[in-house]
């Protein structure tokens, strides 16, 4: 019996299809936690991918009689089966929903975000701001939100004890250390708070929310075709892959089938972005250890990828390469041959980089720190290279292939110990596998156009308006699963956009990896996780 049939039998008529996902509807909030626990324990949904909040109050048609909707996106990794657990509810001022943080550790941050944006409480621990300034009044993703600031809020009262959530340290025994929010080793703004004894970290906590980008709120007032300019900037080292994820989600929502050549070319630019981003990540790790010779090799790889992107549309980072319906450029004459030539040189540089670093015992010794085991990684919702370095064989390109990934031959590199060294090895090998994918795609690149006709977009991007529906679409971005939940109300702007970003979950794991490590190893560990603040502070 398939897992779908098992769920249908166990939950009778409550299983349906919504958001392009199998959806289980929960009628009462008192049944919510029991249902989630049953799904985890009896049906193997061991990973919580995200919790999505929605305010129904401004829906133009078929508005729900309940103001709010919550969706728990769960994953059964063995069956590669995603399930949405959905509940509609009205929230009284003092009503508290049951927390799922005792089932999945990463649920606490998801619940904090839901409370912060919608005012839906899961208990005292959830009622702490995570992504917005503490003097904001109201809940930004409610449809009736108007920006208001508490002018009397005293930031000076935000003491270290409150930030770290632990008792004040005893004098002369333990020290308090903070790094950030601005630091040359950080990819964006975040703050690391440590309790240390000597050179060893005893406890740690990461503060995020310094960028205040408001991407999801901004999407509600932007045309579908404009939003790719925002998703490009989620991870500025792999812009091309981010916009592919967004356009793929919108196309699924609207039922648009892009040309085969566009699908193939999107695979190429995604894998080039993966190579570039991994090279940046490794360069950051090298800088943190002080072996500066390897930095030059990594940056030469980045430079070669940048030149290929530059030839496509004039953007060295691969910005604005994708659009709804295909790609934003015409393939330059001879670009495929130039790319294949560059791939040979990049492969040689990857070998040089691996040889140069692995022959140095100092490199391996410094990176054997900050272990993350497979159980913890899954419990915290970690995906991508950081999960695979723990030995978990899970890659969306293999288990839920899209475009032509099922037709190309490539392997999924895995680690053993889940430490910084394994994360380095996995990323280097992923670069080689990306080269392999690109070569196969370019050798058999389909003929045809790179973009659908305007008629398929309902008269063009300005008037493009998908029918009332919702979608959850995911892709294997550079740092892991990049998911987009889109709710459409038939207008030319999305009613709700929720971005499931890999760094939001990786940073939770990073905080838990540090106790027991040396303070001077924390930047190596952070670089190895490739945490990007732009993905977290949506």
């Amino acid at each position: 019996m398939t897992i779908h049939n098992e769920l249908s039998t166990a939950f009778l008529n409550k299983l349906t299809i919504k958001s392009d996902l199998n959806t289980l509807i929960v009628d009462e909030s008192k049944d919510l936690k029991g249902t989630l626990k049953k799904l985890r324990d009896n049906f193997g949904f061991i990973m919580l991918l995200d919790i999505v909040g929605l305010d129904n109050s401004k829906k133009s048609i078929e508005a729900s009689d309940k103001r709010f909707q919550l969706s728990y996106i769960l994953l059964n990794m063995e069956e590669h089966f995603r399930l949405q657990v959905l509940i509609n509810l009205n929230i009284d001022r003092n009503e508290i929903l049951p927390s799922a943080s005792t089932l999945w550790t990463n649920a606490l941050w998801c619940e904090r975000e839901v409370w912060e944006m919608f005012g839906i409480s899961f208990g005292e621990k959830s009622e702490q701001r995570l992504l917005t300034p503490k003097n904001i009044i109201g809940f930004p993703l409610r449809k009736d939100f108007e920006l208001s600031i508490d002018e009397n809020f005293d930031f000076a009262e935000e003491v270290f004890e409150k930030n770290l959530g632990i008792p004040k340290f005893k004098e002369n025994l333990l020290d308090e250390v903070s790094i950030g929010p601005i630091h040359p080793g950080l990819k964006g703004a975040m703050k690391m708070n440590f309790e240390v004894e000597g050179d060893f970290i005893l406890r740690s906590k990461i503060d995020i929310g310094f960028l205040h980008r408001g991407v999801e709120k901004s999407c509600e007032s932007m045309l579908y075709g404009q939003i790719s300019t925002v998703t490009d900037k989620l991870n500025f080292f792999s812009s091309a892959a981010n916009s592919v994820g967004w356009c793929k989600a919108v196309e699924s929502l609207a039922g648009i089938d892009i040309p085969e050549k566009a699908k193939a070319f999107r695979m190429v630019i995604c894998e080039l972005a993966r190579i570039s981003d991994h090279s940046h990540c490794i360069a950051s790790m090298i800088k943190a250890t002080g072996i500066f010779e390897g930095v030059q090799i990594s940056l030469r790889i980045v430079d070669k990828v940048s030149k290929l992107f530059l030839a496509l549309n004039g953007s060295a980072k691969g910005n604005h390469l994708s659009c709804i319906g295909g790609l934003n450029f015409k393939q330059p004459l001879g670009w495929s041959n130039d790319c294949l030539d560059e791939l040979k040189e990049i492969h040689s540089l990857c070998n040089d980089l691996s040889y140069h670093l692995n022959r140095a015992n100092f490199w391996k010794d410094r990176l054997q720190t900050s272990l993350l085991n497979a159980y913890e990684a899954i419990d915290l919702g970690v995906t991508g290279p950081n999960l695979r370095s723990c030995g978990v064989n899970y890659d969306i390109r293999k288990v839920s292939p899209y475009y032509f990934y099922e037709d190309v031959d490539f392997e999924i590199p895995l680690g053993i110990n889940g430490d910084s060294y394994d994360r380095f090895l996995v990323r280097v090998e992923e670069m080689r596998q990306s080269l392999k994918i690109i070569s196969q795609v370019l050798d058999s690149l389909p003929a045809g156009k790179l973009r659908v006709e305007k008629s398929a977009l309902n008269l063009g991007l300005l008037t493009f308006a998908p029918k009332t529906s919702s979608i959850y679409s995911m892709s294997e971005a550079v740092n892991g699963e990049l998911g987009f939940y889109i709710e459409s109300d038939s207008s030319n702007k999305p009613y709700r956009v929720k971005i499931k970003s890999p760094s939001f979950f990786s940073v939770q794991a990073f905080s838990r990896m540090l106790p027991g490590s040396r303070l001077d190893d924390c930047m190596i560990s952070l670089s190895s996780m490739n945490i990007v603040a732009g993905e977290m502070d949506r």
Side-chain angles (χ1 to χ4, degrees), residues 262-406:
K263 294 177 183 178
F265 231 106
R266 280 186 179 178
M267 290 174 62
V268 171
I269 63 177
C270 282
E271 298 308 316
L272 286 174
R274 197 179 314 276
I275 293 168
S276 177
D277 196 291
H278 283 353
S279 297
H280 268 294
C281 173
I282 293 169
S284 298
M285 294 172 67
I286 297 170
K287 289 177 183 177
T289 57
I291 310 176
F292 294 102
E293 293 86 347
V295 175
Q296 298 301 319
I297 301 175
S298 296
L299 294 183
R300 284 178 64 191
I301 295 174
V302 173
D303 184 58
K304 288 186 175 298
V305 173
S306 296
K307 288 180 179 177
L308 291 171
F309 281 147
L310 199 65
L312 289 178
N313 75 336
S315 170
K317 294 296 183 184
N319 293 320
H320 316 313
L321 286 174
S322 291
C323 63
I324 298 171
L327 295 165
N328 250 337
F329 59 87
K330 294 182 179 179
Q331 183 182 355
L333 187 64
W335 187 90
S336 293
N337 290 332
D338 293 341
C339 184
L340 290 170
D341 290 340
E342 292 288 1
L343 295 186
K344 295 175 184 177
E345 295 190 29
I346 292 174
H347 189 275
S348 177
L349 289 171
C350 286
N351 292 338
D352 291 346
L353 180 65
S354 184
Y355 173 77
H356 178 81
L357 295 174
N358 285 325
R359 70 176 181 175
N361 292 331
F362 175 74
W363 169 254
K364 186 174 182 179
D365 292 343
R366 287 297 305 275
L367 267 62
Q368 290 179 326
T369 184
S370 301
L371 276 67
L372 181 67
N373 64 48
Y375 174 82
E376 291 173 327
I378 292 170
D379 185 47
L380 290 163
V382 176
T383 56
N386 294 330
L387 177 64
R388 293 188 284 273
S389 67
C390 304
V392 181
N393 190 354
Y394 201 86
D395 188 311
I396 295 174
R397 296 172 297 172
K398 280 286 189 182
V399 301
S400 301
Y402 50 97
Y403 299 150
F404 300 115
Y405 276 111
E406 60 185 338

Side-chain angles (χ1 to χ4, degrees), residues 461-480:
L461 292 177
L462 291 178
T463 55
F464 173 72
K467 63 182 181 180
T468 300
S469 58
S470 58
I471 190 83
Y472 177 80
S473 174
M474 68 284 178
S475 60
E476 185 67 34
V478 172
N479 285 331

Side-chain angles (χ1 to χ4, degrees), residues 50-54 69-73 114 118 485 496 498:
D50 209 350
I51 302 177
V52 182
L54 179 69
Q69 174 187 298
L70 279 183
S71 299
Y72 293 74
I73 312 296
V114 170
F118 295 95
Y485 181 98
R496 169 79 167 107
K498 176 68 170 73

Side-chain angles (χ1 to χ4, degrees), residues 155-170:
F155 283 97
E157 293 183 1
E158 294 295 303
V159 294
F160 189 79
E161 177 182 348
K162 214 169 187 179
N163 284 336
L164 202 54
I166 56 180
K168 186 67 176 176
F169 311 136
K170 296 180 180 179

Side-chain angles (χ1 to χ4, degrees), residues 40-57:
R40 187 198 65 174
D41 296 343
N42 298 348
F43 294 94
F45 289 94
I46 58 176
M47 182 181 284
L48 170 68
L49 292 173
D50 209 350
I51 302 177
V52 182
L54 179 69
D55 181 355
N56 288 316
S57 61

